Amino acid sequence: GPDEVLTFAPGGPEAHPIVVHNSLGWARTQAVTLAAATTNVHVLGPDGAPVHCQVNPRWRTVQQAHPGEFEVVFMARVGPLATETFFLVPGASAEYTHPATVTVLTPGGTGAVDGTVGQAPTQIAIQGRPMGRDIVMEGSHYSVSISGSTGRIVSVTELTTRQPVRL
């Protein structure tokens, strides 16, 4: 009838709405972290388009991931003095859902924490690495070396010029 209100939720009836509010007078982009019971999820933006997200394990102990608890992180852009609704939707998106790769430093060698958590196709790989070896992480612009014995940043290198960044 004429008094009915029809609503559309991207992702269907199983989508969970996530309301993000910006009380500032300028546009804001910020990471949003949500709890999830599975790695097989994806995020839709207010317009129904997929949003890149990363799925991380939640930890029981320093070296043991909780098998049924995860967090989903995505970047939300909200205009000034505005509210936007994003949607957490069951089912992974191969192009937009990115499972974390986790390296755990172990004092007694490798293997103690090697394995995966989560459900295919977005399982999270966890590998053990003995303390003492440095870890190098590279993105599209920088390479970061982290001390395997202290966990502190050793160096940062800008990849296009191969020049070190002063810390």
Side-chain angles (χ1 to χ4, degrees):
D3 294 330
E4 288 184 31
V5 176
L6 299 177
T7 58
F8 169 72
E14 294 184 8
H16 299 279
I18 310 300
V19 178
V20 181
H21 178 71
N22 178 12
S23 61
L24 302 175
W26 52 86
R28 183 174 180 184
T29 302
Q30 185 160 342
V32 174
T33 303
L34 308 169
T38 178
T39 56
N40 285 331
V41 294
H42 64 281
V43 177
L44 298 178
D47 60 355
V51 174
H52 287 279
C53 65
Q54 179 172 320
V55 182
N56 302 316
R58 303 217 32 202
W59 296 93
R60 279 187 183 169
T61 67
V62 175
Q63 294 184 353
Q64 184 181 25
H66 193 290
E69 292 184 18
F70 306 94
E71 60 182 24
V72 178
V73 182
F74 69 95
M75 298 302 290
R77 183 172 185 347
V78 182
L81 303 171
T83 300
E84 297 285 2
T85 304
F86 294 80
F87 297 89
L88 184 64
V89 183
S93 164
E95 186 176 348
Y96 291 94
T97 303
H98 309 284
T101 299
V102 179
T103 300
V104 178
L105 298 178
T106 58
T110 63
V113 295
D114 288 353
T116 60
V117 293
Q119 301 76 27
T122 53
Q123 287 182 314
I124 298 170
I126 300 175
Q127 66 184 49
R129 181 177 288 181
M131 292 177 77
R133 283 182 24 204
D134 288 354
I135 296 172
V136 177
M137 299 184 296
E138 285 194 5
S140 56
H141 300 288
Y142 295 96
S143 173
V144 179
S145 178
I146 299 172
S147 169
S149 58
T150 65
R152 294 186 176 160
I153 295 175
V154 175
S155 65
V156 177
T157 304
E158 203 277 324
L159 292 177
T160 56
T161 64
R162 291 288 181 200
Q163 294 295 313
V165 175
R166 287 185 60 158
L167 300 176

